[in-house]
Amino acid sequence: MLNIDNLHVEIGGKAIINGLTLEVPAGQVHAIMGPNGAGKSTLSYALTGREGYEVTRGTATLNGVDLLSLPPEARAAKGLFLSFQYPLEIPGVPTLTFLRTALNAQRKARGEDEISVPDFMKLSREVAKKLGVTQDMMKRPLNVGFSGGEKKRMEIYAMALLDPRFMILDETDSGLDIDALRVVSEGVNALRGPKKAMLVITHYQRLLDYIKPDRVHVLAGGRIVDSGGPDLALTLEASGYDRYKDAA
Amino acid sequence: MVLVAPSLADGELAVLEALAPTQAGEAARASILAQGLPTKRNEAFKWSDLRAALQDGVPKPSGSAGMVPACWQDALVIDFTPEGFGLEGDKDAGLVIESEESLPLEDVVGVESLAAGFAPRALVLRITSQQSRPIFLRRHPGAPMRVRVELKAETNLTLVDTSLGEAGLASALIEAELATGATLTRYSLQQGGNKAIDLSHCRVTIGAGATYEATSLMFGAHFARAETLARLIGAGGYCRIRGAYLLAGSSHADMTSKIIHLSPDTFTEELFKGAVQDRARGVFQGKILVERGAQQTDARQNHHALMLTEGAQIDAKPELEIYADDVQCAHGNTIGALDEEALFYLRQRGIPENQAKALLIEAFVTEVFDTLSEQDVRDWFNDQARTWLKSRVG
């Protein structure tokens, strides 16, 4: 599924990711944990193609397709989705218009027919019901006036509608109370499947109680410095990241 | 026989030719002979050099005046052509239409003097009772227009004007007097080709409890300038002007306004938003003047614009001049680039770059129309913006 090999990423000439290698097979959920400044968000932006995140070495492929040579929208059409740590508020763009435009753009890029407005409305209502997204939220401009929890719910809602194959969740738990965390996690878990995979980026073990990972990796100093099963997250929660300081 | 000063440029000579044989034409002619056309050396024209714009003479009119849009099918349409004006459609009771000699305005130079001088006659619209039928002023390429609107107390009128010429020098002068409690709602659309010059000036006097509410969308032209001069003379008078502009290629659009609060308890609300790319230039000059006696004035002005590419230019001069001490006045002015983070967010969701840009620009600029109460008018403006964005950006 996702293969990252010896990835190096710079921002403004400063090296942030330094030879990161990672494989996430289909059907699995991998967690990336690490201290502040380890390069967690940089990894998610480099994979999704944000401007200013310059890959200087290494490769990243999704099902064998080279991601790094593609513009962000083409990566999205290949099934790569990033749930943003801080979802953007975009005044003037109604949420539903945005989502329909995005879905149709992806379908068009894949050579599929556009979804009709009635079909889209039906689909959007079904998905909304499961995630507790209200009609009012869908009618409002994208994320404008939403609480932190509502924004994250909207990210997962977009994820469910666009039905991506590989999902990166960047600090999805930040800003969520326990109830919201449960709703969002249930939404995420519903999207797991044998042909899909996820990379869950988080500071805290808490999220992993709800979204159970198959593997846990520790990112420090721009490299994976440790990997293990779900228990590694518990160890980290108890001992912190201090012992990786030297490794970084 | 007037001796033409040898320093006049070709464009100025051509303008002299184009002025009508009226008193207003004579006044404009005298003004040009004395001072020439306004240039960047005149403070009010420092970003919009009219003489330079006319250096190759007056372009020959071409292009179409456009169809009357579906949302204005009920309107009384008045066509202004280089030959004169004509009416089509039904007229409601309470509307008197006359024509009168084009008289010079006192102490004016620049756009209003020229617009008065080009018009062979002035059309007079006298409103004596509530009007449900809008009046659509369709300005043909190269046509001069002069309209005087008198709204009696407690009457209302919706005025629409469009100027879509490919080429030619078109001009408009609208003079409106709003008596107590009257409402004039105005919508304008301007889209000119790269050989079109569009000069328009609207001067409006707003009486007690009267409302002037104007909304415009400009795509610019070789040179386009829309001026507003509003005077609030009675308590409860309200002036609201909203404008959007989208400029590409070598388009030029200038929105210059001066709103004068002469009476206590008067209101101004201004919102202008635009986006400019290529070598185009947008100019916003907005002045709000609160005279000594105009206490409890509430005036707000906002201009926000996006510079889409290098080489584009936006010049803004917001001005508040206040001589009363118990007023609320505020203005905001920003010029920035498209938000890269928002752009990436949309692209990450699969929306191609140009389409994402178009979506963000549309959302930004059409905020100006969000508060229009009539859905079909809002759609009309939004559709114009979207169509333009699709061909220029998306």
Side-chain angles (χ1 to χ4, degrees):
Chain A
M1 192 96 198
L2 181 74
N3 283 74
I4 304 172
D5 187 36
N6 190 30
L7 193 72
H8 288 69
V9 184
E10 289 182 0
I11 304 174
K14 187 169 179 265
I16 308 287
I17 302 280
N18 302 298
L20 185 145
T21 297
L22 177 69
E23 185 183 350
V24 185
Q28 294 199 359
V29 172
H30 286 208
I32 290 203
M33 302 183 73
N36 282 327
K40 299 193 299 293
S41 287
T42 300
L43 175 63
S44 57
Y45 286 143
L47 288 174
T48 48
R50 183 164 176 182
E51 212 167 294
Y53 291 74
E54 202 196 338
V55 175
T56 52
R57 271 170 74 187
T59 57
T61 60
L62 181 62
N63 288 333
V65 175
D66 172 24
L67 289 174
L68 303 179
S69 62
L70 299 174
E73 55 270 28
R75 299 184 200 196
K78 296 285 179 202
L80 183 64
F81 182 97
L82 169 63
S83 170
F84 283 63
Q85 182 178 2
Y86 303 108
L88 270 85
E89 294 192 12
I90 306 189
V93 178
T95 301
L96 274 183
T97 307
F98 159 67
L99 290 171
R100 188 160 53 83
T101 306
L103 182 57
N104 279 331
Q106 289 200 18
R107 292 174 73 108
K108 194 175 162 196
R110 291 192 291 258
E112 299 164 10
D113 286 340
E114 290 199 352
I115 186 166
S116 70
V117 175
D119 286 351
F120 177 78
M121 294 310 286
K122 195 165 158 242
L123 177 70
S124 68
R125 268 195 291 268
E126 281 169 12
V127 178
K129 211 181 282 173
K130 286 183 207 157
L131 283 165
V133 169
T134 62
Q135 291 293 314
D136 174 58
M137 280 168 78
M138 293 195 289
K139 278 186 198 145
R140 291 209 310 242
L142 188 59
N143 289 328
V144 174
F146 285 21
S147 69
E150 284 175 326
K151 282 181 189 168
K152 292 297 169 77
R153 227 186 300 161
M154 194 49 83
E155 289 291 279
I156 305 308
Y157 177 58
M159 192 160 99
L161 270 182
L162 296 172
D163 194 24
R165 291 193 284 183
F166 194 92
M167 293 153 264
I168 304 170
L169 278 66
D170 190 0
E171 308 271 0
T172 291
D173 49 335
S174 69
L176 293 187
D177 59 32
I178 292 293
D179 292 328
L181 184 61
R182 193 174 39 77
V183 173
V184 164
S185 304
E186 280 169 7
V188 171
N189 286 326
L191 298 173
R192 295 172 80 149
K195 289 187 174 165
K196 299 179 174 200
M198 283 183 203
L199 197 56
V200 179
I201 295 172
T202 181
H203 265 300
Y204 305 108
Q205 191 268 337
R206 187 181 70 159
L207 178 67
L208 305 179
D209 286 341
Y210 296 90
I211 304 170
K212 301 263 187 239
D214 298 286
R215 299 280 293 165
V216 175
H217 309 277
V218 181
L219 180 64
R223 285 186 301 122
I224 303 287
V225 293
D226 202 1
S227 295
D231 290 349
L232 179 57
L234 296 168
T235 315
L236 285 170
E237 190 75 2
S239 65
Y241 296 109
D242 275 357
R243 66 188 163 112
Y244 297 111
K245 268 191 178 150
D246 292 341
Chain B
M1 175 73 191
V2 182
L3 273 178
V4 172
S7 64
L8 288 186
D10 286 355
E12 284 162 328
L13 295 171
V15 167
L16 290 183
E17 291 271 305
L19 289 165
T22 58
Q23 289 184 49
E26 281 306 324
R29 190 170 286 117
S31 157
I32 293 174
L33 288 171
Q35 309 163 39
L37 287 170
T39 71
K40 61 186 173 195
R41 279 193 288 278
N42 303 70
E43 177 63 19
F45 286 81
K46 64 178 170 180
W47 294 314
S48 297
D49 191 320
L50 184 55
R51 178 163 26 185
L54 280 162
Q55 64 186 0
D56 298 329
V58 173
K60 203 167 157 277
S62 74
S64 129
M67 306 280 282
V68 175
C71 62
W72 303 117
Q73 285 304 324
D74 293 344
L76 167 65
V77 179
I78 306 179
D79 280 294
F80 289 82
T81 69
E83 289 75 40
F85 48 80
L87 272 64
E88 158 196 335
D90 296 329
K91 181 176 92 58
D92 286 352
L95 166 64
V96 179
I97 301 178
E98 291 168 355
S99 105
E100 64 180 21
E101 204 180 323
S102 182
L103 294 171
L105 300 158
E106 273 175 38
D107 300 325
V108 298
V109 290
V111 169
E112 63 262 64
S113 156
L114 288 173
F118 288 133
R121 292 195 63 83
L123 176 80
V124 182
L125 303 170
R126 203 164 283 133
I127 314 296
T128 58
S129 67
Q130 297 281 354
Q131 296 292 303
S132 57
R133 192 186 297 281
I135 294 180
F136 192 100
L137 307 170
R138 185 159 55 170
R139 298 161 55 201
H140 288 243
M145 171 177 98
R146 181 170 184 179
V147 177
R148 196 155 66 73
V149 189
E150 285 176 29
L151 282 109
K152 301 288 178 209
E154 309 301 333
T155 62
N156 73 300
L157 176 69
T158 297
L159 209 54
V160 189
D161 64 283
T162 58
S163 176
L164 310 172
E166 267 304 309
L169 169 57
S171 63
L173 173 60
I174 295 176
E175 297 155 277
E177 299 259 346
L178 279 58
T180 304
T183 298
L184 177 61
T185 308
R186 185 179 160 218
Y187 303 108
S188 354
L189 175 67
Q190 180 278 325
Q191 183 161 24
N194 57 14
K195 283 189 175 160
I197 291 168
D198 198 277
L199 306 175
S200 88
H201 181 90
C202 178
R203 50 172 53 209
V204 50
T205 306
I206 304 165
T211 297
Y212 174 66
E213 198 166 340
T215 308
S216 64
L217 173 57
M218 291 181 83
F219 295 103
H222 173 57
F223 183 100
R225 174 154 162 139
E227 298 180 348
T228 301
L229 172 64
R231 294 163 67 242
L232 290 146
I233 60 164
Y238 184 91
C239 176
R240 183 176 202 179
I241 55 176
R242 290 174 282 217
Y245 58 98
L246 288 166
L247 311 176
S250 57
S251 259
H252 181 112
D254 175 327
M255 288 132 280
T256 292
S257 61
K258 184 172 177 183
I259 299 173
I260 308 172
H261 290 255
L262 290 153
S263 158
D265 205 18
T266 45
F267 307 88
T268 290
E269 215 181 315
E270 268 184 73
L271 175 62
F272 282 80
K273 294 190 93 171
V276 180
Q277 68 177 33
D278 309 327
R279 289 161 294 114
R281 186 174 199 176
V283 176
F284 170 80
Q285 302 185 107
K287 181 169 185 169
I288 297 176
L289 172 61
V290 182
E291 292 287 10
R292 203 170 300 278
Q295 302 293 2
Q296 277 91 48
T297 282
D298 188 330
R300 279 152 222 283
Q301 179 195 79
N302 275 288
H303 168 251
H304 304 290
L306 293 175
M307 207 112 82
L308 300 175
T309 53
E310 261 180 56
Q313 202 170 335
I314 299 168
D315 299 293
K317 186 178 168 192
E319 265 184 292
L320 292 177
E321 200 175 316
I322 303 166
Y323 297 102
D325 54 13
D326 182 16
V327 299
Q328 287 195 47
C329 293
H331 67 90
N333 179 61
T334 58
I335 295 166
L338 212 51
D339 182 351
E340 285 295 329
E341 210 178 344
L343 189 60
F344 173 68
Y345 187 75
L346 298 190
R347 294 179 72 188
Q348 207 299 306
R349 294 292 177 261
I351 302 175
E353 184 175 11
N354 287 344
Q355 201 183 345
K357 279 186 182 169
L359 204 62
L360 290 174
I361 299 165
E362 182 189 326
F364 179 84
V365 169
T366 62
E367 188 205 334
V368 164
F369 309 123
D370 280 357
T371 46
L372 291 179
S373 55
E374 303 204 23
Q375 176 79 42
D376 54 351
V377 179
R378 206 159 59 225
D379 289 346
W380 177 54
F381 278 122
N382 286 339
D383 288 348
Q384 303 293 328
R386 195 169 301 145
T387 305
W388 185 93
L389 283 164
K390 217 170 181 173
S391 70
R392 298 291 186 146
V393 181

